Amino acid sequence: MMEKIFNATLAAVALWSSSGVCAQLPKIDPGENPLIAMYVVNGKPEKAFLADNLSRIKKGGITQFLIYPRSGCEYEYMKEEWLDLVSFLVDQACRQKFTSVWLYDEFNWPSGTANKQTMKINPDYALAQMSVVANADGGYSFKIVRNPQMPDLLNDAPVDCFINLTHEKYYALLKEHFGKMVKGIFTDEPSVGYFVKDAAYLRTIPYYEGLEADYKALTGTDLKEDIICGIRTGTYPYQGPLSKLIGMRFKSCFTKKISDWCLEHGIYATGHMLSEHVMKEASKSNGYILDSLSGLSFPGIDEIRTHETMLGFEWLTFGTGAYAVKRNGNGGMAELFALGPSDMPIAQIRRQIWMSAAFGINRYLLAITQTDLRVKISKDPHHKDSFTGWLNSISPSQPWFAEFAAFAPEAKKAARFAGKEPDVLVSVVYPYELADINDVLIMLNKEQLSWKLIKPGEKAGTKFVLRFENALPSGSQRSFAQQIDAFSRAAAQRPMVLENGKKADDVFVRPYKDGSIVIVNFSDCKRTLELSRGGTIKAFTIYPKGVVALEGGQEPELEGAPISGFQQPKWRVDISDNNILRPNFKDSNTYKFKLESPMKIDVIVRDFDGTGKIFIDGKKLECSHKYAGPIDGFKPLYKQASLELKEGVHTVEIGGDTQDYAYLPAVLLSGKFSNKGGVLSEYAGDGRGLDGYVGRIIQSADVSIPANARRVDFDTQMLVSKLFINGRDLGARLYPPFEWEIPADLRGKTVKMELVRYTSIGRAFGLVENMTKIPSGWSRRVFDRYFPRNDLELLPFAPVSFGE
């Protein structure tokens, strides 16, 4: 049924809004590349630059973009110059034959403030909360507190004000494009839980006028008395009813109101809620999130915590999104903010897109695509220094972006699978009360049991149902484990993935009713697994972070054995650009490096956001030229000077007031050198000492191809690669297997073989521990998650092998 709904969207969808207006929603075309650039205009670039920048994004295969205003943009938001910019970008989308533009309804986030204008128009539009304080006499007092930085999304008037300040302005500007080029508006982390914090507050809940009466009508008890009871007993007896009420109110006043406006204007309302991944936080932020999220006509998720194992995956986020997507029937959008740090391999990007597709999501917002790579401390106290602590970049600044168009067919395949009807065995009732739901979802995934979330009282339509009666955070996990084990034994004939005859670990399995299946490897290892289904067992190969997606009846493939006895040729390794060394200023303002011979060194200095004086060997550096290196996003932000330095030790010193941000280094050293622990020598063409290199690595040799070889394989170290044989372009490979079929006329011959590997920009920033001090407010865990993991020595060359 889901696939029929999906295919029906090839034609425009007619729907009725609550106001009785019948409107045509634009089609969600399964043939359209579903990747969407989250497009950030940094600074105040010329229109000619923006036109060229969009053309380069289009050459990367991306045909959709979302206009994302945030700190770093110097056009005044929602004023004439911003609206003129938006109009220009949409006009360019039409001229350059993009397929879709999506708008964003806020400056930074969370949505609802209209860049703080909502609360300025009327202070009563500020978010309200009910907080409890202890009295000196042992009693308790309740006070209504407002947060002047955040909007009240539980009342109609503030939301209507927000719509007038944002949506209506965009419609007046782009009316002719709505429902055509402009497909929808994205709302980002609206929440009713952005509370004012005070140590004196014993409990705080979202509040709207009439809440206590609604609570009394629902429960028959007094809200304040239940809260006091909870304080005295360390429990939350009010939480379930309150979650239900807040979710319904939030949906009515915000998400459905936004959707109705969008429907009446022929576009989708998309976006995601706050804190989908943890039930306690989701309840505080959104009420009952299955209700509030389902108010959007094209609901979404925010996948922000990519982890290497299934244990840390955001199962609740994806399950919540799948529920809303199923309920609305149009598909949905994933804001893939976890597509970082900046050296994340395409294999892992691919895995996250397929995980989204496995939960019915068919549009993938690639966070983020910047016009330049500036990070800037926001003046907004809500954001603090969050713009300096990380850098994701899926943009032309990445050397590999030149080959990214090759990813489009895979993304389209994932979106097509998103429209299939999953074969779900277990319905998990998402309770109104708090429960250990994440732990249960992890157990189900370990057992390879396909599941979905449902509301209490909804028809399950599945063989098994899991409920959480009286299962608060202290509930017994043993009872759930026993139930899940019983489900697993009762469904022993389901499709299953085995390893060495036993149920495979670190594997996600999603079967579909048409016989298709998606298998996702959460391991960093290449594995030989077995697919058991329909009474047969078939061995297959799955690659690190890999995905095997089989259509109904399609069999998985087992990698063939390599041809033995082949000796590596003597590779020549050339580089397209200078090497880069990032000085380590973590513990002092000076850094020493050594030259083994006289050498030309380009000193690249940040010309943005408060870089002070730079000294080389005690002399102040004067930079008169703009940065001309391979990282496009640095060109507006850096300048450089070329120095002829003598053999020996040299010192770089930064002024004491200079900030060496993680992703805006104060200084970089560049040249045709090999770097071995800060000792630089002339690059010898051997591929060594390039751990900080950004650009193309070209290895070439004369290679004798075995006569019985049908394929050639390279260990590229997960780097995007392109192969040429005798000048013939055999295409790019973005993720394992890095394998090419050998043309029949070249088998058994000696040929000129050239492999081009594309690095990420992440290597320019150095190791995590050498980068910078941890930004205030960031834990080491968060810091490590966003910073590059390029702690592996770059292979001098990619070893080659052949297979039959």
Side-chain angles (χ1 to χ4, degrees):
M1 180 63 182
M2 185 71 174
E3 190 166 16
K4 290 179 181 178
I5 294 173
F6 182 81
N7 290 333
T9 60
L10 284 170
V13 182
L15 294 174
W16 288 89
S17 74
S18 61
S19 64
V21 177
C22 181
Q24 296 291 324
L25 286 176
K27 66 181 180 181
I28 301 297
D29 186 351
E32 179 183 39
N33 186 344
L35 305 178
I36 304 172
M38 196 170 188
Y39 193 58
V40 175
V41 178
N42 277 331
K44 216 170 194 179
E46 299 285 339
K47 288 182 177 178
F49 169 88
L50 291 171
D52 179 67
N53 188 253
L54 285 174
S55 72
R56 297 182 68 189
I57 290 170
K58 181 86 180 304
K59 287 177 182 176
I62 295 175
T63 64
Q64 305 184 62
F65 62 92
L66 177 143
I67 303 171
Y68 176 32
R70 67 166 197 166
S71 290
C73 177
E74 295 172 1
Y75 289 91
E76 192 172 0
Y77 180 67
M78 278 300 168
K79 301 299 183 182
E80 183 177 350
E81 62 177 4
W82 170 257
L83 296 174
D84 179 66
L85 172 69
V86 170
S87 180
F88 173 79
L89 293 175
V90 174
D91 179 65
Q92 283 297 309
C94 296
R95 289 174 182 270
Q96 298 190 31
K97 294 182 169 39
F98 280 79
T99 56
S100 301
V101 171
W102 301 76
L103 302 174
Y104 185 89
D105 70 6
E106 190 53 80
F107 186 86
N108 289 330
W109 67 95
S111 291
T113 82
N115 199 24
K116 310 301 181 185
Q117 294 305 304
T118 301
M119 295 78 72
K120 287 183 180 178
I121 286 177
N122 188 336
D124 289 340
Y125 291 170
L127 179 70
Q129 65 190 63
M130 178 188 280
S131 295
V132 190
V133 296
N135 300 330
D137 61 3
Y140 300 93
S141 296
F142 290 80
K143 55 192 300 187
I144 305 302
V145 181
R146 289 193 181 271
N147 183 350
Q149 296 293 320
M150 296 297 164
D152 180 3
L153 303 184
L154 293 178
N155 281 290
D156 288 325
V159 177
D160 290 339
C161 177
F162 170 62
I163 290 173
N164 287 331
L165 290 170
T166 306
H167 299 65
E168 292 287 357
K169 281 192 175 184
Y170 277 138
Y171 183 68
L173 178 74
L174 302 168
K175 181 177 181 179
E176 63 183 294
H177 297 291
F178 267 49
K180 299 173 185 175
M181 179 58 73
V182 175
K183 296 296 196 300
I185 295 182
F186 188 96
T187 193
D188 198 358
E189 297 187 357
S191 171
V192 298
Y194 290 111
F195 297 144
V196 174
K197 296 180 180 179
D198 190 313
Y201 298 161
L202 303 177
R203 298 280 173 95
T204 294
I205 64 170
Y207 179 80
Y208 62 87
E209 189 173 347
L211 172 63
E212 292 178 76
D214 289 347
Y215 185 90
K216 182 85 170 181
L218 179 64
T219 66
T221 61
D222 183 84
L223 174 60
K224 290 180 178 176
E225 290 180 0
D226 285 354
I227 291 174
I228 292 171
C229 175
I231 292 171
R232 288 173 172 165
T233 60
T235 61
Y236 296 83
Y238 55 89
Q239 191 274 330
L242 180 67
S243 180
K244 185 174 186 177
L245 290 172
I246 295 299
M248 292 169 58
R249 179 87 175 196
F250 194 14
K251 179 178 180 180
S252 172
C253 291
F254 186 76
T255 55
K256 191 172 187 304
K257 182 184 284 286
I258 294 287
S259 278
D260 284 346
W261 185 94
C262 289
L263 176 57
E264 290 167 14
H265 293 79
I267 61 173
Y268 287 103
T270 188
H272 70 89
M273 314 305 286
L274 180 65
S275 301
E276 308 111 310
H277 63 294
V278 178
M279 187 180 184
K280 182 178 180 180
E281 293 301 312
S283 177
K284 181 189 81 171
S285 300
N286 316 290
Y288 189 66
I289 192 171
L290 297 192
D291 280 338
S292 50
L293 180 60
S294 294
L296 297 175
S297 56
F298 200 69
I301 62 170
D302 185 13
E303 203 286 294
I304 200 167
R305 291 170 176 80
T306 295
H307 290 273
E308 297 300 316
T309 67
M310 292 178 67
L311 184 64
F313 199 75
E314 290 190 47
W315 298 114
L316 195 56
T317 297
F318 282 84
T320 298
Y323 176 89
V325 165
K326 177 74 172 179
R327 187 176 181 88
N328 287 285
N330 301 313
M333 185 179 294
E335 180 185 355
L336 295 172
F337 228 89
L339 298 189
S342 55
D343 62 349
M344 177 177 281
I346 305 298
Q348 191 161 343
I349 292 173
R350 173 182 181 242
R351 187 187 75 179
Q352 297 311 109
I353 287 170
W354 270 103
M355 287 302 302
S356 302
F359 287 87
I361 293 166
N362 58 357
R363 288 296 177 269
Y364 315 110
L365 187 57
L366 305 175
I368 59 176
T369 302
Q370 313 93 324
T371 54
D372 68 45
L373 296 177
R374 75 184 64 197
V375 288
K376 184 174 182 178
I377 297 177
S378 174
K379 295 179 181 178
D380 184 346
H382 175 67
H383 298 289
K384 298 180 181 177
D385 58 357
S386 60
F387 288 93
T388 66
W390 47 265
L391 176 71
N392 299 355
S393 185
I394 300 180
S395 76
S397 290
Q398 293 278 15
W400 50 254
F401 195 80
E403 304 299 335
F404 197 53
F407 192 70
E410 185 72 9
K412 290 179 183 180
K413 182 178 179 181
R416 183 163 51 78
F417 267 69
K420 293 177 180 286
E421 181 75 15
D423 188 8
V424 178
L425 276 171
V426 184
S427 291
V428 180
V429 180
Y430 193 121
Y432 295 109
E433 296 79 11
L434 299 180
D436 288 331
I437 193 165
N438 266 320
D439 291 341
V440 168
L441 299 181
I442 290 170
M443 292 183 210
L444 289 169
N445 287 309
K446 283 180 67 68
E447 288 296 316
Q448 301 178 17
L449 292 171
S450 190
W451 55 271
K452 67 178 181 180
L453 300 178
I454 63 172
K455 291 172 59 175
E458 281 187 335
K459 185 177 180 180
T462 57
K463 187 172 183 178
F464 307 112
V465 180
L466 268 177
R467 295 183 174 85
F468 287 84
E469 288 89 352
N470 302 317
L472 294 174
S474 59
S476 169
Q477 293 303 310
R478 181 179 300 176
S479 64
F480 289 119
Q482 290 172 345
Q483 289 182 68
I484 291 169
D485 181 63
F487 296 165
S488 187
R489 284 185 279 107
Q493 298 306 310
R494 72 187 185 281
M496 191 182 311
V497 175
L498 310 174
E499 188 169 28
N500 299 322
K502 298 180 180 179
K503 196 175 299 175
D505 291 327
D506 294 323
V507 170
F508 172 78
V509 180
R510 174 71 89 191
Y512 296 88
K513 289 189 175 178
D514 69 352
S516 301
I517 191 166
V518 170
I519 304 164
V520 180
N521 182 16
F522 274 80
S523 164
D524 283 337
C525 302
K526 183 170 75 172
R527 305 163 74 180
T528 299
L529 303 177
E530 297 171 316
L531 176 59
S532 172
R533 61 176 175 177
T536 64
I537 295 179
K538 179 76 172 179
F540 67 97
T541 302
I542 195 165
Y543 295 92
K545 308 179 192 298
V547 178
V548 171
L550 306 172
E551 298 283 2
Q554 183 182 1
E555 295 291 340
E557 295 182 358
L558 183 65
E559 182 182 75
I563 295 172
S564 61
F566 179 80
Q567 299 296 316
Q568 290 294 322
K570 184 174 177 58
W571 293 103
R572 166 74 191 183
V573 182
D574 295 305
I575 52 179
S576 61
D577 295 283
N578 284 348
N579 198 5
I580 293 174
L581 166 62
R582 180 187 182 156
N584 175 7
F585 294 118
K586 182 177 180 182
D587 299 318
S588 72
N589 289 339
T590 62
Y591 175 80
K592 295 183 183 297
F593 63 98
K594 181 180 179 181
L595 299 185
E596 291 193 334
S597 61
M599 193 181 306
K600 177 185 173 183
I601 297 292
D602 291 335
V603 184
I604 302 166
V605 177
R606 190 176 73 228
D607 190 27
F608 171 78
D609 201 40
T611 300
K613 298 176 182 178
I614 305 296
F615 300 88
I616 303 293
D617 298 332
K619 295 180 181 180
K620 183 182 176 184
L621 184 71
E622 300 293 341
C623 295
S624 56
H625 300 287
K626 290 186 176 182
Y627 169 72
I631 305 176
D632 280 354
F634 275 1
K635 288 178 179 176
L637 310 176
Y638 283 79
K639 55 187 178 181
Q640 67 185 52
S642 295
L643 304 178
E644 296 289 344
L645 297 181
K646 297 180 180 180
E647 176 184 348
V649 176
H650 299 273
T651 302
V652 184
E653 181 181 357
I654 58 175
D657 58 344
T658 298
Q659 292 289 319
D660 188 37
Y661 298 128
Y663 285 106
L664 276 179
V667 181
L668 294 169
L669 304 178
S670 176
K672 290 290 185 182
F673 55 70
S674 175
N675 173 24
K676 299 175 183 177
V679 178
L680 311 185
S681 58
E682 290 286 349
Y683 178 64
D686 59 0
R688 301 186 183 280
L690 299 179
D691 295 343
Y693 175 74
V694 174
R696 291 176 296 135
I697 301 172
I698 307 106
Q699 66 181 68
S700 58
D702 291 330
V703 180
S704 296
I705 300 176
N708 59 336
R710 295 295 181 271
R711 71 171 200 274
V712 57
D713 302 87
F714 286 90
D715 178 5
T716 74
Q717 211 172 9
M718 303 290 275
L719 298 183
V720 172
S721 298
K722 195 170 190 177
L723 181 64
F724 298 84
I725 300 182
N726 285 350
R728 193 183 305 182
D729 184 350
L730 298 189
R733 301 292 183 267
L734 280 63
Y735 47 82
F738 292 95
E739 172 185 292
W740 288 262
E741 183 178 351
I742 301 171
D745 62 318
L746 298 178
R747 296 167 189 169
K749 295 183 179 180
T750 298
V751 299
K752 173 69 176 296
M753 192 170 286
E754 182 178 273
L755 182 78
V756 180
R757 289 189 290 165
Y758 298 81
T759 76
S760 74
I761 58 173
R763 292 191 171 272
F765 303 114
L767 300 182
V768 170
E769 59 267 25
N770 294 340
M771 273 189 170
T772 184
K773 297 179 178 66
I774 299 176
S776 61
W778 287 70
S779 69
R780 168 56 69 177
R781 178 180 60 83
V782 172
F783 187 80
D784 287 349
R785 185 173 69 234
Y786 287 110
F787 284 172
R789 303 185 180 97
N790 55 349
D791 52 352
L792 295 176
E793 183 178 350
L794 191 64
L795 290 175
F797 59 85
V800 66
S801 61
F802 293 93
E804 294 183 352

